[in-house]
Amino acid sequence: MKPSALRRLSTALNLGKASVPVPPDTSSLATFLSTSREKYLNDIRASPSKGDEWTVVMGNEAGDLDSLASSIAYAWVQSEIQKTQFIPLIQTGRDDFNLRAENLHALKLAGINDLQQQLLSTSDLEGINPFPSHTFALVDHNRLGRSFSEHIPNAKVVAVVDHHEDEHLYEESADPRKVAPAGSCASHVATMFPKDASVPKELATLLLSAILIDTGGLVVDGKAIQVDHEAASFLIPRSTLSDSMSSSTLGSVSPNNPRLLADLPSVKQLSKELSDKKTDVSHLGAWDLLRRDYKEYTYTLHWHPSTPMIKAGLATVPSQLRSWGSGGKLEAEAQRWMEHQQLSVLGVLTTFRISGKFGKSGKGKHRREMAWFVRDGSDSQTLQLDDTATRLWKGLEANEEVQVKKHNKMNLSQVPPTMRVMLYKQGNAKATRKATAPLLKNILESA
Ligand SMILES: [Mn+2]
């Protein structure tokens, strides 16, 4: 971000003034989190209307490290510096925290070890109906989830900080409203800290961890852009990584020298630890892989004679199809997940490296595949199964960004008559779900 843009943002946030109250350095991140969680739960138990004295900060439902770190950090800035009541809500059930080993690792480095007591999750609010708060701040997504907006006319979004495609919502109510490219949403959040704020070391480490995961360790010519370099340069000297760095090394940390950032031994070490944890999903079966990094969308089929509303899901899986989905597992678990979530369309997007073929980085070559399922499941409306499937395959095959080719290496033998399936290899391994989700919407909705 340009300094002028940063200043504008900082002014909009009311953060840039010299008189910004600096939090006492005794406040550790873990204490902040457990205290706010307890206070929020006490408040809504005492009187549900007290939920309206809080703003709930949420990352997206996929619950990756970026969402986790961004929501925690945004709530910290608003609570500790702006002195308003913000609580981060993790959109992952308590029992599912262990699906992402890299999150657990980064949280541990941030001093957060007792997740049940320190993180407010959707499990804490089960059975509390209606949802007790109506004011929301969204990070790492820019559309409020249906469970917080449906039948809740007074739901209000007061802040949006994101790096996904802009849906141009809440333009009147959200301030700040920053939706702009970045390798990691955590970078946008980091640039919102006042430059003179005393940021807890653990919080800087947590944000940095998210940036490193999302940008592959800030590698040059990778996903990191200027704002990620600015954020990393701000965070590194404030993080626990600085403990092992000499003052001359620290002095050379600058957004203008991105190659140096990526080459810092402690940055390399942390990136490797996190990415090893993230890619090791060998302990997870097909069912857990489908739901571990999952997003859901609702689309209206305008071209369809009865213009039905359908649900579609996109699961990102960091392992190639044949290593976990062969022998009928892929189609059986996809069908089970689609029934469980009432989906008409499911896309399984894999991302992995193949050993033996080496890319520029010296690591195995990066590849992506797609498995698509269309299902006629809902009793009340009959999807025109073949029309929908054909439309989807054609749209994907015609798209120049993803560049799909039919994948013939796997035999799916156990597909029921109510389902259509297609497997692709992705020609462009750089296109992530951020590209696939708007493409899917466009293919399914356009008339
Ligand atoms: Mn993100």
Side-chain angles (χ1 to χ4, degrees), residues 239-301:
S239 72
T240 50
L241 272 62
S242 68
D243 296 348
S244 62
M245 293 164 67
S246 70
S247 50
S248 72
T249 307
L250 280 172
S252 63
V253 166
S254 151
N256 304 323
N257 197 347
R259 201 168 295 273
L260 178 135
L261 293 177
D263 285 344
L264 288 170
S266 51
V267 163
K268 283 192 152 170
Q269 173 64 30
L270 177 55
S271 305
K272 185 175 183 320
E273 280 173 25
L274 290 166
S275 100
D276 286 352
K277 297 264 181 199
K278 183 175 176 176
T279 48
D280 181 12
V281 290
S282 52
H283 59 296
L284 300 178
W287 174 257
D288 282 341
L289 288 171
L290 290 178
R291 64 201 188 91
R292 117 181 227 292
D293 185 351
Y294 172 76
K295 288 188 182 173
E296 211 163 85
Y297 312 85
T298 307
Y299 299 131
T300 306
L301 309 186

Side-chain angles (χ1 to χ4, degrees), residues 410-422:
M410 250 177 83
N411 256 331
L412 300 187
S413 48
Q414 305 184 26
V415 178
T418 50
M419 257 167 72
R420 298 290 177 271
V421 186
M422 184 65 84

Side-chain angles (χ1 to χ4, degrees), residues 1-213:
M1 195 188 313
K2 287 192 197 117
S4 59
L6 191 65
R7 237 182 345 262
R8 274 201 305 280
L9 186 64
S10 171
T11 314
L13 273 168
N14 211 8
L15 293 180
K17 291 177 193 157
S19 60
V20 166
V22 174
D25 52 17
T26 48
S27 79
S28 88
L29 183 58
T31 312
F32 160 72
L33 289 170
S34 54
T35 313
S36 353
R37 175 178 175 276
E38 202 183 316
K39 187 158 192 294
Y40 181 76
L41 288 174
N42 283 342
D43 272 6
I44 58 170
R45 279 172 195 148
S47 149
S49 68
K50 282 199 151 201
D52 278 330
E53 295 168 16
W54 291 79
T55 300
V56 174
V57 191
M58 281 185 294
N60 67 54
E61 63 190 317
D64 66 358
L65 188 53
D66 192 25
S67 274
L68 191 65
S70 297
S71 57
I72 290 174
Y74 194 79
W76 184 87
V77 175
Q78 295 302 320
S79 306
E80 295 296 296
I81 294 181
Q82 303 296 334
K83 303 293 177 196
T84 49
Q85 292 203 105
F86 276 62
I87 177 81
L89 171 66
I90 314 304
Q91 291 205 60
T92 303
R94 189 187 292 142
D95 298 337
D96 291 346
F97 285 154
N98 59 2
L99 290 180
R100 288 180 177 271
E102 71 281 13
N103 286 13
L104 299 184
H105 186 63
L107 287 168
K108 196 171 96 191
L109 297 177
I112 301 166
N113 294 301
D114 185 1
L115 273 46
Q116 313 260 354
Q117 295 302 315
Q118 291 161 341
L119 299 180
L120 180 76
S121 82
T122 42
S123 304
D124 291 313
L125 303 174
E126 254 163 38
I128 302 182
N129 276 316
F131 191 79
S133 301
H134 303 96
T135 311
F136 300 95
L138 308 182
V139 292
D140 207 20
H141 64 315
N142 63 74
R143 174 189 284 274
L144 183 62
R146 273 160 64 108
S147 49
F148 307 98
S149 57
E150 220 171 37
H151 315 302
I152 309 176
N154 55 342
K156 194 174 170 199
V157 173
V158 295
V160 179
V161 183
D162 188 25
H163 65 148
H164 292 84
E165 184 164 287
D166 194 350
E167 297 194 43
H168 296 283
L169 301 167
Y170 324 117
E171 290 184 329
E172 296 299 311
S173 61
D175 180 19
R177 188 183 184 289
K178 178 166 190 67
V179 183
S184 182
C185 180
S187 297
H188 285 321
V189 176
T191 59
M192 295 180 162
F193 284 82
K195 288 281 174 257
D196 57 351
S198 112
V199 182
K201 270 193 178 179
E202 302 84 18
L203 182 57
T205 307
L206 185 62
L207 281 170
L208 185 63
S209 299
I211 297 171
L212 295 183
I213 276 268

